[in-house]
Amino acid sequence: MSVFLDLSKAFDTISHEILIKKWKIWVYGVYLSVRKQFIEISNTKSHFENIKYGLPQRSILGPILFLIYINDIKHSSTLSILCFTDDTTVSYSLQIIPELYNVMLVD
């Protein structure tokens, strides 16, 4: 059985908290700064708020940060996980169908 995953807007799903932890493991001594954003509608601006998810779009660093974030996904499960950019396939094989469903749902 295989499950095919396509992260819609993959860069927008990245948790800054998790990424910073992984960044510190992979690249010692380099830290990401806190980014802020606001919304403007009809010349009225909201307060600045911290951005907790997502990567800068159309940046050189974005794809590198995404790879650091997703690189260890293969080690997070006993299932077979294959990745290509933001497409992921999760697979497992068993002869007993009810057990196969259970493994795919639990793991």
Side-chain angles (χ1 to χ4, degrees), residues 2-18:
S2 293
V3 177
F4 301 94
L5 308 171
D6 181 13
L7 290 176
S8 177
K9 298 187 177 187
F11 281 21
D12 295 334
T13 64
I14 303 301
S15 163
H16 291 184
E17 182 180 338
I18 294 171

Side-chain angles (χ1 to χ4, degrees), residues 7 9-20 32 35 51-55 62 65-70:
L7 290 176
K9 298 187 177 187
F11 281 21
D12 295 334
T13 64
I14 303 301
S15 163
H16 291 184
E17 182 180 338
I18 294 171
L19 179 60
I20 289 170
L32 299 174
R35 296 181 316 148
I51 300 173
K52 296 180 182 178
Y53 294 92
L55 297 173
L65 294 174
F66 182 76
L67 288 175
I68 290 170
Y69 187 80
I70 202 162

